[in-house]
């Protein structure tokens, strides 16, 4: 090969290397610039959602996708439809900062927000909950057993989000929450240290506020939580509502699976401990309407709750009320949320109070007016200690109370029974009360 030929070959190789080097430098820049074009991002997200929609067999849409230079991702108009062509999920705007994918395949996200959204969980036409249908069609159970997807979230803000949970038939009670048609609206707050591992979710929520559409309002809900296949557990939770401050050391909603929530009243067990709290029966009445007439506020409460909404037991270790009253006892509420057919059994272990507080409590719980000899004896007695029982509902009940004072001991009895009425007339009841 001549010297001239060598020069030509060298020149060609240098030009080729120069072009290749420029391509390697500018191609990623060009691709980045192209991908950052809104029209290109919308095209890509459209193709991606189309693939996912075809995979699970229902409609998924994202109106706009925006990817920032530093990894921030913003989705506008996120829409997921269920198999009945109703809205399952809608989010007006979702923004997250993408951090990294760890060695253990955990996707880590820090900082972000969800604004103006709704999750509508309802009973589908085939009897299943719509969210279960969509999740089951999306998740490959065989792959899930081999290796679970992991997600880590930190500092995510949620604002103006609605959660609706309903069955096809609503109960529509006269008062209180309809467990077959729950609307938790205007949810706002912070989610931190959230970890998703397979089907288990753990995290911390703070400054959550929301309103249930029947009127129950929470101004602040802060604490730790975990969710695992129908089991919701809360730990070290503080709740501030309209009239109450409640601290839950532990509280759990326990269903064998998410399908149990179709009949929340009978199938989902409640367990919890309440300490160092101020509780208004006006707030509790949204869940247990039988307590609506009580209109009492309790402080320094130490209690535990167990059972189902339809059969709930409350054990009270201590409860202060009024000026100087305190009590210990057990309450069992059955038949809720049907107030008219509901039944309450109260075992009053010990109640220490002055006359005014004792009469207030007895009249609120039993629904009777204390007067005559009983009222005169109570006022003259000073410090009073009560113990007794109450059992019954709105139309039929009986109560027996023993009153111990410095002046002596008195037995109070109240009995309410329905009377026989002619067909077509309104039912009435007779009320008897006397003291010995």
């Amino acid at each position: 090969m001549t010297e001239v030929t060598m020069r030509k070959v060298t020149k060609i190789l240098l030009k080729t290397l120069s072009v290749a080097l420029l391509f390697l430098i500018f191609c990623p820049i060009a691709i980045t610039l192209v991908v950052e074009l809104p029209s290109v991002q919308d095209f890509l997200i459209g193709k991606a959602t189309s693939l996912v929609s075809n995979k699970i067999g229902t409609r998924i849409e994202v109106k706009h996708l925006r990817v920032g230079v530093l990894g921030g991702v913003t989705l506008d108009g996120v829409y997921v439809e269920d198999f009945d062509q109703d809205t399952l999920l809608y989010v007006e705007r979702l923004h997250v900062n993408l951090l990294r994918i760890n060695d253990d395949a955990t996707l880590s996200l820090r900082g972000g927000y969800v604004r103006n959204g709704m999750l509508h969980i309802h009973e589908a036409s085939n009897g299943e909950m719509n969210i279960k249908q969509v999740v089951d069609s999306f998740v490959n159970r065989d792959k899930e057993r081999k290796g679970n997807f992991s997600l880590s979230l930190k500092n995510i803000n949620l604002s103006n989000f609605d959660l609706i949970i309903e069955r096809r038939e609503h109960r529509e009670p006269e008062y209180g929450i309809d467990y077959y048609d729950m609307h938790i609206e205007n949810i706002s707050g912070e989610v931190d240290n959230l970890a998703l591992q397979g089907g288990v979710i753990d995290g911390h929520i703070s400054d959550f506020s929301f309103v249930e559409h029947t009127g129950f309002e929470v101004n602040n809900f802060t604490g730790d939580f975990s969710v695992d296949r129908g089991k919701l557990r809360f730990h070290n939770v503080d709740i501030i509502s309209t009239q109450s401050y409640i601290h839950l050391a532990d509280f759990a909603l326990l269903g064998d699976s998410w399908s149990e929530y179709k009949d929340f009243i009978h199938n989902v067990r409640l367990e919890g401990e309440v300490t160092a709290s101020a509780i208004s029966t006006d707030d509790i009445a949204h869940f247990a309407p039988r307590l609506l007439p009580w209109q009492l506020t309790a402080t320094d409460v130490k209690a535990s709750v167990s059972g189902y909404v339809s059969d709930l037991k409350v054990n009270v270790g201590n409860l202060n009320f009024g000026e100087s009253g305190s009590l210990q006892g057990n309450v069992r509420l059955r038949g809720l949320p049907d107030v008219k057919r509901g039944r309450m059994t109260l075992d009053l272990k010990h109640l220490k109070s002055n006359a005014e507080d004792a009469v207030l409590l007895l009249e609120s719980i039993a629904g009777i007016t204390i007067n005559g000899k009983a009222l005169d004896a109570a006022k003259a007695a000073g410090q009073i200690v009560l113990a007794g029982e109450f059992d019954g509902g709105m139309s039929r009940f009986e109560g027996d109370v023993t009153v111990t004072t410095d002046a002596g001991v008195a037995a109070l009895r109240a009995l309410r029974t329905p009377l026989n009425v002619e067909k077509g007339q309104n039912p009435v009841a007779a009320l008897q009360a006397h003291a010995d």
Side-chain angles (χ1 to χ4, degrees):
M1 182 179 295
T2 65
E3 184 177 349
V4 175
T5 303
M6 285 293 294
R7 290 177 179 173
K8 290 182 177 180
V9 172
T10 302
K11 191 175 182 179
I12 293 172
L13 289 174
L14 290 173
K15 289 182 178 181
T16 302
L17 289 173
S18 298
V19 172
L21 182 60
L22 291 173
F23 179 80
L24 292 175
I25 292 174
F26 289 105
C27 185
I29 297 176
I31 292 175
T32 301
L33 292 174
V34 171
V35 171
E36 286 190 353
L37 292 174
S39 58
V40 174
Q41 293 180 1
D42 292 341
F43 173 79
L44 293 175
I45 194 62
K47 288 294 184 182
T49 53
S50 178
L51 290 173
V52 176
S53 296
N54 291 333
K55 173 182 172 59
I56 67 176
T58 191
R59 179 182 164 198
I60 296 180
E61 292 182 354
V62 176
K63 188 175 181 180
H64 296 297
L65 166 69
R66 298 294 178 264
V67 180
V69 177
L70 300 179
V73 178
T74 302
L75 300 176
D76 290 336
V78 179
Y79 174 82
V80 180
E81 196 172 75
D82 63 23
F83 292 129
D84 286 338
Q85 288 75 55
D86 292 325
T87 300
L88 172 62
L89 173 68
Y90 176 78
V91 176
E92 182 177 291
R93 171 160 289 189
L94 185 154
H95 174 83
V96 293
N97 295 320
L98 179 62
L99 286 180
R100 63 181 182 275
I101 299 178
N102 300 331
D103 294 337
D104 60 356
T106 298
L107 177 62
S108 297
L109 306 173
R110 180 185 296 273
Y113 56 83
V114 177
R115 293 179 182 170
N116 304 330
M118 178 188 70
L119 176 62
H120 187 185
I121 302 174
H122 69 88
E123 185 179 11
S125 55
N126 65 353
E128 287 187 319
M129 301 307 285
N130 63 341
I131 191 171
K132 181 179 183 298
Q133 294 177 322
V134 174
V135 172
D136 285 348
S137 65
F138 185 78
V139 176
N140 186 318
R141 297 300 178 186
D142 294 330
K143 289 184 178 180
E144 185 182 30
R145 285 189 287 268
K146 293 178 182 178
N148 289 324
F149 170 75
S150 299
L151 175 66
S152 174
L153 295 176
K154 293 182 181 295
N155 302 325
I156 303 298
N157 178 267
L158 187 68
S159 62
N160 196 29
F161 194 87
D162 295 342
L163 172 63
I164 301 173
I165 306 175
E166 64 174 334
R167 294 186 61 178
R168 296 178 67 83
E169 294 184 5
H170 302 167
R171 286 182 175 268
E172 299 180 354
E174 293 182 5
Y175 186 86
I177 292 174
D178 185 352
Y179 293 95
Y180 285 34
D181 182 29
M182 293 188 291
H183 293 235
I184 304 173
E185 302 170 344
N186 301 326
I187 303 172
S188 298
E190 294 279 343
V191 179
D192 196 15
N193 294 325
L194 186 146
L196 169 62
Q197 178 69 43
V200 181
I201 304 175
D202 296 286
H204 176 81
I205 55 179
S206 59
D207 300 322
F208 258 58
S209 61
F210 57 84
V211 178
E212 211 285 330
H213 73 153
T214 56
F216 177 66
E217 182 175 356
V218 171
N219 300 320
N220 191 315
F221 187 110
T222 298
D224 301 318
F225 72 94
S226 67
V227 181
D228 183 9
R229 297 175 179 84
K231 295 178 174 59
L232 284 77
R233 301 181 186 275
F234 298 91
H235 175 68
N236 196 26
V237 172
D238 290 314
I239 304 173
I240 300 175
S241 66
T242 305
Q243 302 183 56
S244 305
Y245 174 86
I246 303 172
H247 177 80
L248 301 178
D250 290 286
F251 187 81
L253 303 175
L254 304 175
D256 292 334
S257 66
W258 292 118
S259 61
E260 299 292 336
Y261 284 73
K262 288 175 54 180
D263 191 0
F264 181 90
I265 295 172
H266 299 96
N267 292 340
V268 178
R269 183 174 179 82
L270 284 68
E271 293 183 357
E273 296 179 3
V274 183
T275 60
S277 307
I279 303 176
S280 169
T281 57
D282 289 350
D283 285 335
I284 301 176
H286 288 284
F287 304 90
R290 181 66 182 83
L291 275 61
L292 182 61
W294 290 21
Q295 296 183 338
L296 298 172
T297 298
T299 60
D300 192 21
V301 178
K302 295 178 176 62
S304 62
V305 178
S306 63
Y308 305 85
V309 173
S310 60
D311 189 356
L312 189 64
K313 297 178 181 178
V314 182
N315 299 319
V316 182
N318 184 74
L319 184 151
N320 295 341
F321 64 94
E323 295 181 359
S324 60
S326 64
L327 70 82
Q328 299 84 42
N330 303 318
V331 180
R332 183 179 181 184
L333 302 169
R334 286 166 286 180
L336 296 177
D338 190 336
V339 181
K340 292 182 177 180
R341 298 183 180 180
R343 181 176 180 178
M344 180 179 71
T345 301
L346 170 65
D347 180 9
L348 185 62
K349 301 291 187 182
H350 182 85
L351 186 153
K352 185 177 181 180
S353 176
N354 58 29
E356 289 76 11
D357 290 340
V359 171
L360 171 65
L361 184 66
L362 190 59
E363 289 183 343
S364 297
I365 294 177
I368 60 175
T369 300
I370 305 299
N371 50 33
K373 293 182 179 180
L375 181 59
D376 293 338
K379 289 181 177 180
Q383 194 73 20
I384 300 173
V385 176
L386 303 179
E389 298 178 344
F390 171 88
D391 183 55
M394 294 183 64
S395 61
R396 179 194 297 269
F397 65 78
E398 59 180 316
D400 293 281
V401 178
T402 300
V403 183
T404 302
T405 69
D406 294 337
V409 179
L412 305 179
R413 178 172 178 79
L415 177 66
R416 184 177 187 179
T417 56
L419 297 177
N420 294 324
V421 296
E422 297 295 332
K423 185 177 181 180
Q425 293 182 347
N426 294 326
V428 295
L431 178 63
Q432 305 173 27
H434 66 270
D436 297 324

